Amino acid sequence: RSFVLSEGVRFPLGVASAGLAILSFLPPHDVDAYFERHPEISQGWGAAHSEQRLRTRLRDTQERGYAVNPGLIVEGSYGIGAAVFTREGHPQWALSLTGVEFRFGPDRLPELGRTLLAHAHQLTTRIASSR
């Protein structure tokens, strides 16, 4: 029901749920530097991606543990993302789920978020223990 994914499409950090999850867990000085280097994000992706709105979503993501993109790229297409960390504890990758809005309702979103976080944590643990 959702045919919005395009192979090879790249989004700036903070636009899609995976990038938002990564950006949310970077050190504050790195986030500030990112916004200084990329002031044009809202120009390419609309007012929903202004620095002020992105910073609000960063705080929400930090509190919740996972990022939510409620149809901000394509109307009706939701995404959630959870950061995966390096051995040193830096967010380097993310796992994400995308789908149509009705599959991400308020009753199901927390369950999906907890499941995604559990898998991201499991992957982080495997990365940390590998040599």
Side-chain angles (χ1 to χ4, degrees), residues 24-80:
S24 295
F25 294 101
L26 287 174
H29 66 274
D30 287 346
V31 174
D32 293 340
Y34 178 76
F35 283 121
E36 288 173 17
R37 285 191 317 271
H38 301 283
E40 76 289 345
I41 294 173
S42 65
Q43 293 171 4
W45 298 96
H49 300 288
S50 69
E51 181 177 341
Q52 180 181 0
R53 287 180 157 176
L54 279 173
R55 285 189 183 272
T56 297
R57 283 198 291 284
L58 294 177
R59 285 189 298 276
D60 292 345
T61 299
Q62 291 164 352
E63 290 173 11
R64 204 177 23 243
Y66 59 91
V68 176
N69 184 319
L72 298 176
I73 298 172
V74 175
E75 186 177 343
S77 180
Y78 270 49
I80 62 174

Side-chain angles (χ1 to χ4, degrees), residues 109-127:
L109 188 60
E111 176 188 346
L112 291 171
R114 282 189 303 273
T115 301
L116 190 62
L117 277 173
H119 286 278
H121 177 70
Q122 185 179 49
L123 184 53
T124 295
T125 301
R126 290 182 72 183
I127 289 168

